[in-house]
Every structure is written in C-alpha cells, then in structure tokens.
Amino acid sequence: MKLEIGFGTTPQIVELPDKNVDGILYPNEVTVATTGAEEVNRSLSHPIGTRSLEEIVKGKERIVIVTSDITRPMPSHVVLPQLLERMYAAGVKPESITIVFALGSHRTQTEEEKLHLVGESVYRQVRCVDSSEFDFVHMGTTPGGTPVDICRPVAEADCRICLGNIEYHYFAGYSGGAKAIMPGVSTRAAIQANHSRMVRPDACAGKLEGNSLRKDLEDALVCCPVDFIVNVVLDETKQIVYSVCGDIITAHRAGCRFLDRFYRKEISRKADIVLVSQGGAPKDLNLYQTQKALENGKYAVKENGIIVLVGSCREGMGERVFEEWMLGADRPSDLIKRIETDFQLGGHKAAAIAMVLEHAKVFLVSHMEEEFVRNIFMTPFSSVQEAVDQAFEELGAEASVLIMPFGGSTLPVVGDT
C-alpha cells in the first residue's frame, strides 16, 4: 500500500506490504451535524454549566480571552469572531478586551504570528499580547503546594474566558480546560511544581479522574477562577467538528468524552513497528511538540520494537532546557534518574523520551542534522521510506506494522478497556 504521511508543509509518501499492516489508526467515524464556525455558534447558544456568555460579560471592563500560541492548532481565527460578535452585542467595547496568548514555556511570538492566529480583523480590533510580556501576580497556592502565579492581565481581569483545543496529553490526560491557566499563563516555577507529578503512574494520556497532576492544575482554578471556556475538537484536517462552551470543568469533560469517541482507538495487539506522525505543520514544528506523537506511539509498540517518528522539526528542539538535557546525558537512563531528583521543565520531555527509549528504538525522520539526532539517542532519517525499510531490515520481513498518521491526537488502547 501507498500512504501519505504528514511532514511539515510537504507530506511524504511511503509504500509497504499490505500483509504486514495490522492497521491504520485514523479517527473513528463520528457523524456531526455542524462544523467550523457554525458548530462554535451552536455551542455558544447552549453553554454547559454556566449562564450565557452575554450575561457573563455584561458590564465587565477588563475582559481577558486566553488562547493558544503558534505551537497549537487551535483555530482562534474561527472561534474569536463568533465570541466577539456576542460580546459586542452585550455592550462590551473592544478596548475592554485583551487577547492573551498562553505561551507556557514556549518562545515569544512575532506580530505577524499573532495576526495569523487571530485573523486580521480581530487583530485590528482588539489588543493581542503574549503572556510572557508581563510580570506575574501570586494568587495563592494549591493544596499540593503549587504556587498559582498568573500573568498580570489575566490575574487582574474582571472576566476570564479561556479557549483551547482538546486532544490527548501525555501526563495531564487531555489538553484544554484548565491547562489554559496552568501552564498557559503561569510562571516557569509554577509549571515545574505542577509538572513534577508527571513521573507518577496516574499521570497519563486519557486519564482525568485519579490523575494527581490534573487535579493539581484544576485546583489552581480556586485561586484563579475562569468564567467561561470555548474548547473545540478538531478532525485530521484541523476543522472544528465539536465545540463545548461554559463551565471550565463540566464543559471540558463533555469535550473529552467526544474526543474519546473520535480518537481513542482499540487495537488487538501491539506491533513490531509503529509509524507515527504528528500530522504535519504546525504540530511538528520542533521536537518538543513532535514528542507528543512519540508518547502516544509507545502504547502501540512491542517491547524492543521500533517507532518511526515523523516530524519536520524545522525549528530544532524547540526548548533550551530540553536540548541541554538531551545533549548532556551519556545514556537515556541518566535522564530518568535525573528527573526523579531534579525536575526541570524541558527536562521532563527529555525524560519522557528516555522512558520510551528504554523499551524501543526510535527512528526520527526530520530536517535535523544526522549527527545531532544520533547525539540524542535516535537514528536519523530524511525519508519515511528509508526509515521503514531499515526497520524491516532489522526486525525481519514479517514484522507487523501499525500506522498512526495523527499520533498526537490518537490514543491506542490494547484490548477491552
């Protein structure tokens, strides 16, 4: 069979024997009545667990809308016009609104990138800023000891609205919801305190209840309450297929249930070779983001198998500490030992990769230099076909293959769970 695999802005074609392919993990077939802006409007008319948006914003003068940065596929340019139209109808003035891009630990953005994210009309109407442009306000501490330090415009707002897209997250369970606040607009120290829980067995993809890390970041909402959310689920073409609005917990949970119907994939067995891609740009901009596909791919690969990880990584590693940890270790096990006693944001991604490398080889198809890739314990390739051919060479002509074209969004689950 021939298959197109997302790689930056230019997909690659790979050919492999049909008999070896156990399955291609595309999203499940789910029928939806509306999509895109129409679906956002539907959900805005039916908020879950809150009053209407118009009632919530009426009379407010310092409204912040927290949304995702350039590393996320969140279609803010689709959602924001629908949101703003209703806010204006409720009497809110454009000058009372600030859009804050939640950078977390990510790099600052150019003005061109901000304009691209929200669209020219919104960019001209409303103030758009990065969360990193401001100092932070200490708003309290979670019961777990995480400081709730929030960027000033969000901390001082009289109304907080959070946008996001929902997909699987390798230790927070799911993206979206409270993640817009923690880590979205929090300090590095606050993020580190929360993310140190990633080494716990209960912090894993697809798990909310009983996930101690998720509980801690949602506990932060007691100190920094959110009035309203708009969270969306995207299909493989990055089109909105489901939208939830309203309460940051109740509405988010409804979105997670839909995501499971769409992207949770049951498999009968693990495979010798897992071919996994983030799906192309913008999700494979750097290895920091592409790692999400690797993390989901690990659930599908056999012990001592091979994961062919496909991501252009044209911006390299994507985070300074992540790069320093990967390059500074003599072997993957060093990273796992280090994270147990010296948790650092960025280092957590390195440790997560190391935990995969303990059980499988990783062939990385990217734009990064070959020697550099070898120095971070992976085998470099520029072609998906070459990587797959080499995997068969090492594991034999009968090796089984599972293909995950949208690995960051697809969660394989073995058996009936």
Side-chain angles (χ1 to χ4, degrees), residues 30-36 38-39 42 240-242 258:
V30 177
T31 302
V32 294
T34 57
T35 60
E38 185 181 358
E39 169 61 10
R42 179 205 62 76
I240 296 170
V241 293
Y242 191 65
F258 180 88

Side-chain angles (χ1 to χ4, degrees), residues 289-305:
Q289 298 303 323
T290 300
Q291 177 270 342
K292 293 174 182 177
L294 175 65
E295 185 68 21
N296 284 346
K298 77 178 184 183
Y299 295 109
V301 72
K302 289 181 181 178
E303 188 75 15
N304 299 319

Side-chain angles (χ1 to χ4, degrees), residues 264-267 411-417:
R264 189 180 181 97
K265 300 294 293 188
E266 186 172 310
I267 58 177
L411 183 66
V413 179
V414 178
D416 185 18
T417 59

Side-chain angles (χ1 to χ4, degrees), residues 306-365:
I306 294 173
I307 299 175
V308 178
L309 176 63
V310 182
S312 88
C313 303
R314 64 179 176 85
E315 289 194 358
M317 297 293 279
E319 207 276 342
R320 178 184 57 80
V321 176
F322 175 44
E323 182 169 349
E324 288 175 355
W325 275 49
M326 291 297 294
L327 292 175
D330 292 328
R331 58 190 66 82
S333 58
D334 293 345
L335 295 165
I336 299 170
K337 292 175 183 174
R338 183 175 179 183
I339 201 71
E340 291 173 350
T341 57
D342 178 29
F343 182 90
Q344 292 185 43
L345 195 65
H348 75 299
K349 288 267 188 178
I353 289 175
M355 287 187 276
V356 177
L357 289 166
E358 291 279 281
H359 301 281
K361 283 187 178 180
V362 176
F363 290 0
L364 178 62
V365 182

Side-chain angles (χ1 to χ4, degrees), residues 218-323:
E218 291 181 343
D219 284 343
L221 299 172
V222 175
C223 304
C224 183
V226 171
D227 298 280
F228 196 82
I229 68 164
V230 182
N231 276 190
V232 298
V233 175
L234 310 179
D235 67 7
E236 66 272 18
T237 66
K238 302 177 179 66
Q239 177 178 241
I240 296 170
V241 293
Y242 191 65
S243 176
V244 289
C245 300
D247 180 73
I248 194 164
I249 300 298
T250 311
H252 178 254
R253 295 296 191 268
C256 294
R257 287 191 293 273
F258 180 88
L259 185 82
D260 282 345
R261 289 172 52 207
F262 207 58
Y263 286 118
R264 189 180 181 97
K265 300 294 293 188
E266 186 172 310
I267 58 177
S268 60
R269 63 172 185 168
K270 294 185 178 183
D272 299 304
I273 300 167
V274 173
L275 172 57
V276 60
S277 167
Q278 271 282 68
K283 288 187 174 186
D284 68 351
L285 198 63
N286 52 54
L287 189 59
Y288 197 83
Q289 298 303 323
T290 300
Q291 177 270 342
K292 293 174 182 177
L294 175 65
E295 185 68 21
N296 284 346
K298 77 178 184 183
Y299 295 109
V301 72
K302 289 181 181 178
E303 188 75 15
N304 299 319
I306 294 173
I307 299 175
V308 178
L309 176 63
V310 182
S312 88
C313 303
R314 64 179 176 85
E315 289 194 358
M317 297 293 279
E319 207 276 342
R320 178 184 57 80
V321 176
F322 175 44
E323 182 169 349

Side-chain angles (χ1 to χ4, degrees), residues 12 27 30 35 110 149 171 192 194 197 256 282 333 353 376 378:
Q12 292 197 19
V30 177
T35 60
T110 65
D149 301 324
F171 56 76
Q192 286 178 345
N194 172 262
R197 293 167 173 80
C256 294
S333 58
I353 289 175
I376 58 174
M378 302 183 199

